[in-house]
Amino acid sequence: MKGIKNLKVSAKLYLLSGIAVVGMLVLVIMSLILMKDLNGATKIIAQKWMPSCTLSDQMNTSLSNVRLYKTTAVTGKSDEEVSTNITKVEEAVSQLDGHIAAYGNYVTTAEGRGLYEALQSAWSAYKQVDTRVMNLAKEGKLEEAEQLLKGDEGVAVYNNVTMALDNLSDFNTRGSDGAYEDSNSTYSRAMILTFIVLAIIIVIGVVFSAVIIRGIRTPVQELEAAVVEMVKGNFEVSIKYEAKDELGVVAEQFRGLISKLNAI
């Protein structure tokens, strides 16, 4: 603190202002870094897990539609009903193909890749049976188509696709929950660090402010008291303040003046 004492008054004030500016810069830089981390966590949720969950739901809906339309097609009461539902099945299958292909863009982990490949394999096996069912329905062999659809083979491939989709949905739910927890953790850490840094800056600012203010106030009060005594005619006053700043120069001049007055 002796070094601060010898600084010019203007330098002390500049030092105090500099500490405030540096503190604000540190706080701003740290906030930007933490905001970047938080933004990264939010992007993972928005760009990966939300689309993955949405596509997973859409695939489940499309599979249900395929099953519904196919069942209606093989049990149709008229050629028109059969034809209409066969068209709907083909559209739903095409839609599910699109969803599965789109989902591949969001696979980034080994576990996710394994589940995705399991779904592709199950869906490929399902479509093979689906093609046979639809061909029988188009040929008017509705009883055979229904037997294949509701038989062991048809039920097995459907259950395999359903299981693959359920596993994928569970994976997406766990992933999105984990990303959400990471985002909350990043936010909490950012808030805690911000308050800690802010508290440190405030403490440092208060300490330096107290030192600088005291370094200015103390000699001023001592000089003021000396002047008051001299005005009263008392020249037996002592000024103890010594420093290389402006106030130290003034104190030295007062000591010289007092010595000369006492010598008269």
Side-chain angles (χ1 to χ4, degrees):
M1 296 301 179
K2 186 176 180 181
I4 295 177
K5 180 180 178 181
N6 291 323
L7 291 175
K8 301 291 185 180
V9 174
S10 58
K12 292 176 181 177
L13 296 176
Y14 282 131
L15 176 62
L16 185 59
S17 300
I19 292 172
V21 171
V22 170
M24 287 188 292
L25 286 175
V26 170
L27 189 60
V28 168
I29 292 172
M30 191 202 70
S31 298
L32 290 175
I33 293 173
L34 293 174
M35 284 175 63
K36 181 181 178 182
D37 292 342
L38 184 59
N39 186 51
T42 304
K43 277 186 176 180
I44 291 175
I45 297 174
Q47 297 180 2
K48 181 181 185 299
W49 293 114
M50 287 182 65
S52 296
C53 290
T54 299
L55 283 169
S56 182
D57 291 340
Q58 290 174 338
M59 286 189 285
N60 275 300
T61 300
S62 295
L63 180 62
S64 297
N65 289 338
V66 169
R67 190 70 175 178
L68 174 63
Y69 297 145
K70 193 183 297 184
T71 301
T72 306
V74 300
T75 58
K77 303 301 181 181
S78 65
D79 292 342
E80 182 180 358
E81 185 179 3
V82 172
S83 177
T84 298
N85 282 283
I86 287 176
T87 300
K88 289 181 178 181
V89 169
E90 292 172 346
E91 291 175 350
V93 168
S94 177
Q95 188 179 53
L96 186 48
D97 279 333
H99 292 329
I100 293 175
Y103 185 89
N105 297 324
Y106 302 100
V107 178
T108 57
T109 65
E111 182 182 2
R113 175 62 61 183
L115 293 173
Y116 179 60
E117 290 175 351
L119 172 61
Q120 287 179 309
S121 177
W123 177 237
S124 177
Y126 181 88
K127 286 201 297 182
Q128 291 178 10
V129 175
D130 172 78
T131 299
R132 290 160 55 195
V133 172
M134 290 297 94
N135 286 338
L136 289 171
K138 290 176 182 177
E139 294 170 5
K141 301 176 182 179
L142 298 183
E143 290 185 7
E144 293 181 35
E146 185 176 4
Q147 288 176 359
L148 179 57
L149 175 66
K150 297 180 179 180
D152 292 341
E153 185 179 7
V155 171
V157 292
Y158 175 74
N159 287 341
N160 288 339
V161 176
T162 300
M163 183 181 299
L165 284 174
D166 287 343
N167 291 337
L168 209 59
S169 296
D170 179 66
F171 170 74
N172 289 323
T173 299
R174 287 187 285 110
S176 59
D177 288 346
Y180 179 74
E181 290 176 3
D182 288 343
S183 178
N184 281 342
S185 176
T186 301
Y187 175 77
S188 298
R189 186 171 65 254
M191 292 298 294
I192 292 172
L193 288 176
T194 299
F195 283 125
I196 290 175
V197 172
L198 184 60
I200 292 173
I201 291 172
I202 290 174
V203 170
I204 293 174
V206 169
V207 170
F208 272 89
S209 297
V211 170
I212 292 173
I213 292 172
R214 183 180 178 184
I216 296 173
R217 183 184 62 190
T218 300
V220 168
Q221 289 177 337
E222 188 175 5
L223 291 171
E224 179 185 14
V227 171
V228 171
E229 289 299 318
M230 291 172 66
V231 169
K232 293 178 180 179
N234 178 18
F235 300 120
E236 298 297 328
V237 293
S238 174
I239 299 176
K240 297 179 181 180
Y241 183 76
E242 293 182 4
K244 295 180 181 180
D245 64 354
E246 295 93 328
L247 295 174
V249 173
V250 173
E252 184 63 31
Q253 295 298 321
F254 261 92
R255 279 191 290 269
L257 177 62
I258 293 170
S259 296
K260 291 178 181 180
L261 291 174
N262 285 327
I264 297 175

